[in-house]
Amino acid sequence: MMFRQLFDQTSGTYSYLLASRAGGEALIIDPVLEKVDRYLQLVKELDLKLVKAVDTHLHADHITGLGALRDRTHCITVMGEQTKADVVSMRLDDGDKLTIEGLALDVVYTPGHTDDSYSFVLPDRVFTGDTLLIRGTGRTDFQNGDPRQQYESIFGRLLKLPDATLVYPAHDYKGDTVSTIGEERAYNPRLQVKSVDEYVDLMNNLKLPNPKMMDVAVPANMKVGLAQEEIARRGWTLSAGQTLALLGQPDIALIDLRERSERERHGTIPGSLHVPYPTLQESIRSGGMLHGLAKSTSKRLLFYCAFGERSAMAVQAAQDAGLTTACHIGGGLHAWKKASGPLAR
Ligand SMILES: [Fe+2]
């Protein structure tokens, strides 16, 4: 595995770049906006293809790099199911896998610092976000934080991992870079409590000032969705309702860009083809399946995904590849469900 821990001094944030091999797919956890150039330079130097940018939770102390990385690499933005961010390409839930080529991280819902906090687990390490820090824990006094939930997330989930598991948090302000589950259980002062009530008391009496960036970072991080006005203005967006009226007609080809796990959990629009977003480029270039389909028939390519972000990027890519009939369902399957569109399982 290729692994890099990157640091933003201003906010004390750690970001993590992971890949299974040089030349392969990469993902980044908790990227910081100001460091995006640095990440992309490193991705290039290591000969990687960034395919996912993930936030462990909605950050209050820095602006996320998710939107900028998506705009510059067309990668998928990922957060938890509960996030208040306007649009992320993909939302994960407890028990899901966060996957790229050659790597699958277990997705563990660990609320408490915020109600959208997740941890990501590999066999030898865990990315804990702000749930568990080195000799500390993330504050629980804003963004629907809850010390009781955090106690459960730490004691009931994270500390159940093997003692040797490496702990990589989203922040450190003292210069520590990595710890282990066993070390934190033994020496983290916040974890030396005898009961959940003692932990709640401790967390409710920290009297911390608000993060300096909070009033800027939280609203900015809630607005990370792709700008889609231009795609709509060009007539490349169909609403879920418009699509419903076209369903079953022979002149459209519905193309589902989501991953298999999303299809299994949420269902699919009946009669759609499956072309996972990471394979799109291959499929729309000359000789590819979608290229052939668009050129040999009069069918309109109608892309969809979970929330309309991958499909908007796909429309642009298909149009750029000369497939001028390409369009997408605005708002994706989320909008389709709201319009009471039928689903196949
Ligand atoms: Fe945080």
Side-chain angles (χ1 to χ4, degrees):
M1 183 173 77
M2 297 173 74
F3 174 72
R4 294 290 183 278
Q5 182 176 35
L6 297 139
F7 187 57
D8 173 55
Q9 276 119 329
T10 315
S11 60
T13 304
Y14 286 127
S15 309
Y16 301 96
L17 182 70
L18 286 86
S20 65
R21 64 173 180 98
E25 293 182 351
L27 70 81
I28 191 163
I29 297 174
D30 288 333
V32 175
L33 178 62
E34 287 80 1
K35 298 287 174 185
V36 160
D37 285 339
R38 170 64 188 132
Y39 307 144
L40 293 179
Q41 182 194 4
L42 184 59
V43 163
K44 195 169 161 214
E45 288 164 352
L46 299 178
D47 188 25
L48 298 172
K49 181 182 189 317
L50 187 69
V51 296
K52 283 181 180 163
V54 188
D55 268 349
T56 50
H57 63 287
L58 197 106
H59 296 284
D61 58 348
H62 66 268
I63 297 179
T64 176
L66 253 59
L69 287 169
R70 181 221 34 241
D71 290 344
R72 291 178 57 182
T73 68
H74 300 141
C75 70
I76 297 175
T77 56
V78 183
M79 290 184 77
E81 192 63 56
Q82 295 79 359
T83 183
K84 308 268 189 312
D86 56 346
V87 183
V88 285
S89 302
M90 184 175 185
R91 288 171 184 250
L92 295 171
D93 207 348
D94 189 67
D96 282 347
K97 300 266 189 202
L98 169 60
T99 58
I100 57 169
E101 174 205 359
L103 279 179
L105 292 85
D106 291 321
V107 175
V108 182
Y109 182 43
T110 49
H113 168 58
T114 64
D115 61 355
D116 69 342
S117 289
Y118 278 76
S119 299
F120 302 109
V121 182
L122 282 169
D124 69 337
R125 67 193 68 199
V126 54
F127 301 96
T128 54
D130 289 353
T131 302
L132 177 61
L133 304 174
I134 299 173
R135 307 299 191 266
T137 58
R139 63 193 298 171
T140 55
D141 55 340
F142 55 69
Q143 291 184 282
N144 298 321
D146 180 339
R148 208 163 279 278
Q149 281 188 339
Q150 192 176 49
Y151 179 93
E152 192 40 51
S153 295
I154 295 172
F155 284 88
R157 305 295 301 269
L158 297 176
L159 295 188
K160 296 272 160 72
L161 295 168
D163 276 3
T165 310
L166 297 168
V167 172
Y168 285 104
H171 291 292
D172 194 85
Y173 310 102
K174 314 173 296 296
D176 292 313
T177 55
V178 60
S179 180
T180 66
I181 288 293
E183 211 179 301
E184 290 311 309
R185 181 190 292 106
Y187 302 115
N188 189 322
R190 297 253 176 101
L191 307 187
Q192 311 310 310
V193 290
K194 291 188 181 59
S195 67
V196 58
D197 292 327
E198 195 182 331
Y199 186 76
V200 171
D201 264 2
L202 174 71
M203 294 306 286
N204 284 344
N205 287 292
L206 294 176
K207 301 193 174 64
L208 300 167
N210 279 345
K212 285 193 267 323
M213 283 282 288
M214 186 168 169
D215 295 338
V216 178
V218 170
N221 290 340
M222 283 167 63
K223 238 183 127 353
V224 294
L226 179 77
Q228 296 193 18
E229 293 80 5
E230 185 57 21
I231 284 169
R233 199 187 60 75
R234 288 171 177 244
W236 297 343
T237 304
L238 296 185
S239 69
Q242 285 171 314
T243 307
L244 206 44
L246 294 173
L247 198 65
Q249 292 190 11
D251 54 346
I252 60 159
L254 275 157
I255 298 137
D256 186 356
L257 297 162
R258 295 170 303 155
E259 296 183 4
R260 201 184 52 186
S261 59
E262 296 175 279
R263 288 159 57 84
E264 284 168 0
R265 176 136 58 90
H266 297 287
T268 63
I269 300 180
S272 43
L273 301 168
H274 185 208
V275 179
Y277 179 75
T279 68
L280 178 75
Q281 284 299 337
E282 199 182 300
S283 197
I284 58 177
R285 71 168 171 243
S286 182
M289 189 270 281
L290 288 179
H291 193 274
L293 182 69
K295 294 290 180 187
S296 66
T297 67
S298 58
K299 283 184 195 293
R300 265 196 108 174
L301 303 183
L302 180 47
F303 292 106
Y304 73 96
C305 58
F307 302 101
E309 189 158 283
R310 276 169 279 184
S311 59
M313 293 192 286
V315 168
Q316 188 65 60
Q319 292 282 348
D320 292 347
L323 307 184
T324 54
T325 66
C327 52
H328 82 130
I329 304 179
L333 197 81
H334 182 69
W336 180 255
K337 280 183 179 172
K338 273 194 184 162
S340 306
L343 291 169
R345 295 276 171 182

